[in-house]
């Protein structure tokens, strides 16, 4: 099979981790007889430096022309980088928002899994981490506060800023359908998260999710208020299978969920439209403080490449091979610095490796 992949190395550690993901993809291609054609495009700060804007129309066209997009990370230090002296629509992040909208990537899947080998890194109570957890956060990605009208005006000499939160029933329905479909492939439970005790948009969200649930009698639906969900993620994360939520709540809850795994360097994500096309990226950011030092953890990007094979190309066997290779290197005690055990006795049993070596170890185990 021919896999046409557009890559966005991006900023910070992005280029290093994307290089390792490509290494692993090439190893998969060699083993399973596929051809991988990649093309790099600029986005974020890297694009600002060359073109003055975070995403050009040509780059969008290159992304659209591929079967899938693999991204590293974008953005820099928001207090020291000159990119953040630009007006908001010219900053790195607006490139990401623009590509999400341009490619209609409305469904953002963010798995948060506690790996057995890394259970020590979980900051939760021992009995909670021992029970384990494996959830999928389904975040709506092209609506809500992120894309509503916004303005800052001066009224009676005082500045007033407004952001608007709008959802149509169609926008809610299509993400809910994806959420229930995914729950069917997992443990058949959807927790829909909203703020229906306050917001109209949440009340509509709840109604539409209820309507969609009627077509999925094999899936259990529960509703949860977002503040309670934030608490439950720390108290009892094992209760969650699929968390279905709107854009802003999903942004916040997915960071929280990744943190409770204790290993954000391990977490992948996928942003999908209503075809097989998707953009795949690690859940973590660009970590500009450690860029270029060969110490970043490439595993989240490598696992994002596995999600890409699974969701955009239906190559389940190949995706399984990547996931198994990752588990294998962990079992063999290879660790990048971010997933080293805190305990020094345990740490001394580990083999500390850099970004490149970790990529090579995984590629060799495909
Ligand atoms: C994320 C990020 C982005 C978001 C930022 C960089 C715009 O936090 O992907 O979660 O808020 O969606
Ligand atoms: Mg975020």
């Amino acid at each position: 099979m021919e896999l046409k992949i557009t890559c966005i190395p991006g900023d910070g550690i992005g280029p290093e981790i994307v290089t390792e993901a490509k290494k692993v993809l090439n190893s998969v291609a060699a083993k399973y007889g596929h051809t991988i054609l990649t093309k790099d495009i600029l986005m974020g700060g890297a694009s600002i430096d060359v073109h003055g804007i975070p995403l050009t129309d040509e780059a969008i066209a290159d992304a659209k022309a591929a079967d899938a997009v693999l991204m590293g990370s974008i953005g820099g230090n928001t207090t020291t980088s000159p990119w953040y002296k630009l007006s908001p629509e010219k900053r790195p992040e607006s490139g990401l928002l623009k590509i999400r909208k341009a490619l209609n990537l409305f469904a953002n899947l963010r798995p948060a899994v506690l790996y057995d080998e890394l259970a020590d890194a979980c900051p939760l109570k021992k009995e909670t981490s021992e029970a384990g957890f494996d959830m999928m956060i389904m975040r709506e990605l092209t609506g809500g506060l992120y894309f509503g009208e916004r303005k800052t005006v001066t009224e009676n000499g005082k500045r007033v800023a407004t952001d608007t939160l709008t959802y149509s029933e169609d926008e809610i329905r299509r993400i809910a359908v994806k959420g229930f479909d995914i729950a069917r492939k997992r443990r058949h439970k959807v927790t829909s998260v909203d703020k229906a005790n306050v917001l109209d948009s949440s009340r509509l969200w709840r109604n539409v999710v209820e309507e969609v649930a009627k077509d999925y009698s094999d899936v259990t639906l529960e509703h949860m208020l977002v503040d309670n969900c934030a608490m439950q993620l720390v108290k009892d994360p094992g209760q969650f299978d699929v968390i279905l939520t709107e854009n802003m709540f999903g942004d916040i809850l997915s960071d929280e969920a990744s943190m409770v795994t204790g290993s954000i360097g391990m977490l992948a994500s996928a942003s999908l439209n209503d075809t097989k096309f998707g953009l795949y990226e690690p859940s973590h950011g660009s970590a500009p403080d450690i860029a270029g030092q060969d110490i970043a953890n490439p595993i989240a990007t490598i696992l994002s490449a596995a999600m890409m094979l699974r969701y955009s190309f239906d190559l389940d066997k190949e995706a399984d091979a990547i996931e198994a290779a990752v588990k294998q290197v962990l079992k063999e005690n290879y660790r990048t610095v971010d997933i080293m055990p805190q305990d020094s006795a345990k740490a001394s049993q580990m083999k500390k490796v850099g970004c490149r070596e970790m990529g090579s170890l995984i590629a060799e185990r495909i």
Side-chain angles (χ1 to χ4, degrees), residues 11-153:
D11 307 320
I13 58 172
E16 300 165 61
I17 55 184
V18 167
T19 299
E20 298 317 307
K22 282 183 188 166
K23 202 187 263 177
V24 174
L25 281 172
N26 285 328
S27 171
V28 169
K31 165 123 193 233
Y32 293 89
H34 301 298
T35 308
I36 296 192
L37 302 171
T38 61
K39 174 167 188 182
D40 286 359
I41 60 170
L42 297 177
M43 191 168 102
S47 173
I48 297 173
D49 290 345
V50 176
H51 302 294
I53 51 171
L55 185 67
T56 62
D57 291 342
E58 293 73 44
I60 294 178
D62 280 335
K64 278 189 179 156
D67 303 314
V69 177
L70 181 67
M71 184 184 138
S73 51
I74 53 131
N77 184 310
T78 51
T79 46
T80 58
S81 164
W83 300 329
Y84 295 92
K85 302 224 162 42
L86 299 167
S87 57
E89 73 287 354
K90 288 200 174 149
R91 291 178 196 164
E93 287 70 15
S94 77
L96 183 56
L97 299 187
K98 193 168 158 193
I99 203 168
R100 285 176 182 166
K101 200 66 172 181
L103 303 177
N104 194 27
L105 303 171
F106 64 87
N108 183 212
L109 280 67
R110 298 190 165 181
V113 185
L114 186 66
Y115 285 84
D116 288 345
E117 293 82 4
L118 304 177
D120 283 340
C122 174
L124 302 177
K125 278 193 201 137
K126 205 166 170 27
E127 59 265 33
T128 314
S129 63
E130 273 169 3
F133 56 88
D134 175 353
M135 71 187 93
M136 178 70 86
I137 301 197
M138 284 286 289
R139 168 189 177 193
E140 200 291 327
L141 203 60
T142 52
L145 275 173
Y146 277 66
F147 293 95
E149 207 181 299
R150 65 178 101 257
K151 60 176 183 193
T152 306
V153 296

Side-chain angles (χ1 to χ4, degrees), residues 110 139 146 250-252 254-255 283:
R110 298 190 165 181
R139 168 189 177 193
Y146 277 66
D251 178 44
I252 298 168
S254 61
D255 263 27
S283 278

Side-chain angles (χ1 to χ4, degrees), residues 73-257:
S73 51
I74 53 131
N77 184 310
T78 51
T79 46
T80 58
S81 164
W83 300 329
Y84 295 92
K85 302 224 162 42
L86 299 167
S87 57
E89 73 287 354
K90 288 200 174 149
R91 291 178 196 164
E93 287 70 15
S94 77
L96 183 56
L97 299 187
K98 193 168 158 193
I99 203 168
R100 285 176 182 166
K101 200 66 172 181
L103 303 177
N104 194 27
L105 303 171
F106 64 87
N108 183 212
L109 280 67
R110 298 190 165 181
V113 185
L114 186 66
Y115 285 84
D116 288 345
E117 293 82 4
L118 304 177
D120 283 340
C122 174
L124 302 177
K125 278 193 201 137
K126 205 166 170 27
E127 59 265 33
T128 314
S129 63
E130 273 169 3
F133 56 88
D134 175 353
M135 71 187 93
M136 178 70 86
I137 301 197
M138 284 286 289
R139 168 189 177 193
E140 200 291 327
L141 203 60
T142 52
L145 275 173
Y146 277 66
F147 293 95
E149 207 181 299
R150 65 178 101 257
K151 60 176 183 193
T152 306
V153 296
T154 304
E155 285 171 7
N156 305 322
K158 300 275 182 205
R159 286 163 300 167
V160 180
T162 308
D163 296 282
T164 45
L165 202 182
T166 304
Y167 269 109
S168 71
E169 60 176 302
D170 290 349
E171 285 175 303
I172 300 168
R173 190 167 291 113
R174 64 182 183 176
I175 183 82
V177 166
K178 286 248 187 213
F180 279 92
D181 283 344
I182 295 225
R184 255 189 187 155
K185 293 190 182 164
R186 296 174 46 98
R187 302 193 309 276
H188 293 75
K189 181 177 171 191
V190 170
T191 305
S192 174
V193 174
D194 61 35
K195 189 72 186 174
N197 52 348
V198 179
L199 303 175
D200 258 28
S201 54
S202 281
R203 287 188 274 269
L204 180 63
W205 181 278
R206 205 175 265 221
N207 284 334
V208 175
V209 170
E210 294 272 357
E211 287 162 21
V212 171
K214 291 194 182 113
D215 293 332
Y216 295 84
S217 55
D218 53 326
V219 177
T220 308
L221 169 67
E222 67 175 16
H223 299 284
M224 191 178 280
L225 295 172
V226 62
D227 46 353
N228 184 28
C229 182
M231 188 174 81
Q232 296 297 331
L233 277 172
V234 175
K235 195 173 156 217
D236 178 19
Q239 70 185 286
F240 296 112
D241 179 14
V242 173
I243 292 182
L244 173 66
T245 192
E246 64 90 53
N247 203 345
M248 180 79 163
F249 297 158
D251 178 44
I252 298 168
L253 294 175
S254 61
D255 263 27
E256 186 187 357

